[in-house]
Amino acid sequence: MASEEELFANIDALLEEEPQLPPPAERARLREAAGITQARLATALKSTVQTVKNYENGRSEPKEPRLSAYQRLLKGWAAKYPAHGHGAPAPAAAPQPAPVPDTFTGPASPEPADVTTPAQSPAAPERPARPATSSRRPSAKKAAAPATDPRFPHGPLAVLDGDGSAYAVGGVVLDCPATTVPELVEWTLRESGLGAAKLNRYGKDSDPLIVLTAAAAVKLGLPERLEGHEQRRSLRLPEDHPVVKQVAKAKWQLTQRGFGPWVRIYRKAQGRERQCVQLAILSWDALDERSWPGVAEMEPADIARVLGVYAQRVITPRGSTAVSGLELMTALRPPTKAVQDPETGNWVSGHNAGSLGTEPMDPAPPEATPEHPVVVNSGWTGGFLNEEAYQWVRSVDTLSDEECTLPFAVGLDLNTAFLAAAARLVVGLSGPNHFHAPRFNPKIPGSWLADLSHIELDARLPSPFTPDGSRPTGPAWYQTHTLAYAQELGHDVHPIEAYLRRETGAYLDPWHDRLKNAYVDTLADMGVTRDLSDTEFLAAMEHHKEKDPGLAAVLSAIKATVKGGVGKLRERPQGKHYKEGETWPALARPTWRPDIRAAVISKARVNMHRKLNNMVKMTGLYPLAVLSDCVVYPSPGESPLDFLPYAASGKPQPGGFRLGPTPGLAKLEGAQSMLWAVDLMEKGLNPARHIKGGDAVLDEGE
């Protein structure tokens, strides 16, 4: 029980954390009541007009010593100009920007003040004539919903076509005069009004994204397609290509990944202003068909809609969905924040508690991959963690006559199982420490060497300790969740050694929350809401993708972001010239953390086994096969309703598989005949891979 002194200290810390200032709207009211312009206030505070604007719209807060000065000024004004005092009229509330609409449909919103719309029929818009000189904001063909951030009135991104039309979110079409890549970068930063606000107070704003159609790429001097022997996504323009030379001549730089399907073009930041633009080239396969089904073939305005919803709900795309998934972790948990140096009083960059920091961290040898320098240089031969998703098929010898006479095999798929596992997941934030014969503690994240081969298991269920469901044959390395589950099942756990982390935290919590909301909200826009009965849910899921292919693509991309982001935590070396023991680019990232990947997958597999076990207790049913987050059961009917456990009240029994649209709940994957399933099992094939009626792709988060 915390003491009163500790509680008051915690509260005092919270009070000190936020500036003691009136709300942003009140700051603006007080300044206007005093008749002071933003420019004059900026001069007094030795700041900029944009900074004052940020104070008054809530985008940022002043730091010391400016905080105390601003605080003193506002207190003085508040005494002179109370909100409703001395008969003074109450000022009109500042209009608040409307949120970006959750769906693609709906009535047109009022246009923002700085977007001009030609007076013409929206059915057949003409491109407005280009102004003789560059205007502050480009002309727009159609009004958009007011932006949520006044600095970025046209949203996070635009799709540029060959005629100079740049299609932004909300139906805005901007006029882009650029004919070269450097001109496009300059236009994007100075005139487009594109970008997105940071996702965390200590983070950075998202760089604007310009997506190029094939016609736009050719107009800018780029080849329509990249050709070569390697995968197209790994191809790059040669350094002597004219466009690469143009970029360098204009004093812009490319990141180390060069000029490929996804490009970042930047200059070093001046003060706090970032100068960076991202390009994505559609005809170079920037949008992978597996993650973004059908999007590359859509019209530019529809591509902008799809990517805009993803950007609003997840993050502005920064590469593949896997790259975006990893970048989202950092955007939500920035590695640094401003802290005050106690000696000088200056504000300097300091560690942001709960983040992974700025420096890469070597894994423990059993957490690494066989080619990792830690393994090769140390001569490690002690084995590795094998925390992977299930790939298990039950032996046909264990099937009962009763099971074989059931007519159907029904597949259940868990919604974003890795995402569900990331919720409230405690992971290590510091480096590994080595221990011999430690006492097992289920609350400490790490890797443990233990022998679980003595545990008797039911052959009709997969082992919870191995990805292929087989019984362990001796000592092996396990992530904390796997050993904790062995203990939960009633078995003694006596680790031989372990690599554990002293500093821990729920690093993935904000990542989980944002992606969960994105997934649930997108499904709801497709008509699959949380308030549906199980029967209504199954009916809604049967045709939800047909209602809006764009939203279906967003949903696919969200799911790919989850699995790809987890996979990127242990990205392996790529390229035929790699040699074991060499470093590879991913190792330079603080987010190269195979132990965190192992924790997510271990927890997801344990969650699956717990449900399988509970299903046996509640229904007596055993699965036929499991593949990652899909499980196949024998069933008397073609619907999950024919075998899932329900209470007498009609409510689903807790602990087993339950239908629903949220992460961790299940949906119907497919149904086939029991004879079909047994035939595959006899051939050593996994029915869960094919239950949908085609080849389901297993993605283990790699």
Side-chain angles (χ1 to χ4, degrees), residues 362-378:
D362 277 341
E367 297 165 350
T369 54
E371 66 272 17
H372 194 286
V374 162
V375 174
V376 175
N377 295 339
S378 67

Side-chain angles (χ1 to χ4, degrees), residues 158-304:
V159 181
L160 180 63
D161 208 354
D163 65 352
S165 298
Y167 297 81
V169 298
V172 166
V173 186
L174 308 172
D175 189 46
C176 175
T179 58
T180 67
V181 169
E183 286 177 4
L184 175 61
V185 172
E186 297 279 359
W187 174 84
T188 303
L189 291 173
R190 287 170 174 71
E191 299 186 46
S192 70
L194 296 172
K198 57 192 176 185
L199 298 180
N200 180 285
R201 60 183 294 199
Y202 301 125
K204 298 173 183 174
D205 294 332
S206 283
D207 300 318
L209 168 64
I210 302 291
V211 181
L212 303 181
T213 65
V218 171
K219 179 182 176 181
L220 295 170
L222 297 167
E224 183 172 344
R225 298 193 72 80
L226 277 181
E227 302 297 342
H229 300 294
E230 301 175 64
Q231 285 187 340
R232 187 166 285 114
R233 279 174 294 148
S234 63
L235 290 172
R236 303 287 180 266
L237 284 183
E239 290 186 9
D240 60 355
H241 190 278
V243 171
V244 177
K245 289 183 175 179
Q246 282 177 0
V247 171
K249 186 177 180 181
K251 301 291 191 273
W252 290 98
Q253 292 178 270
L254 301 175
T255 57
Q256 286 187 341
R257 61 180 177 180
F259 208 120
W262 287 89
V263 197
R264 289 191 198 186
I265 303 175
Y266 72 98
R267 284 181 184 146
K268 289 186 177 179
Q270 296 180 347
R272 298 184 65 181
E273 290 295 317
R274 284 171 61 79
Q275 296 187 86
C276 181
V277 173
Q278 299 181 101
L279 304 182
I281 304 166
L282 291 173
S283 57
W284 296 6
D285 293 346
L287 297 180
D288 190 322
E289 175 69 17
R290 293 169 298 178
S291 302
W292 299 97
V295 176
E297 307 305 319
M298 292 179 179
E299 292 298 316
D302 293 322
I303 297 173

Side-chain angles (χ1 to χ4, degrees), residues 12-20 63 201-202:
D12 288 342
L14 288 176
L15 290 172
E16 290 170 6
E17 189 172 317
E18 294 295 332
Q20 300 300 297
K63 306 292 185 186
R201 60 183 294 199
Y202 301 125

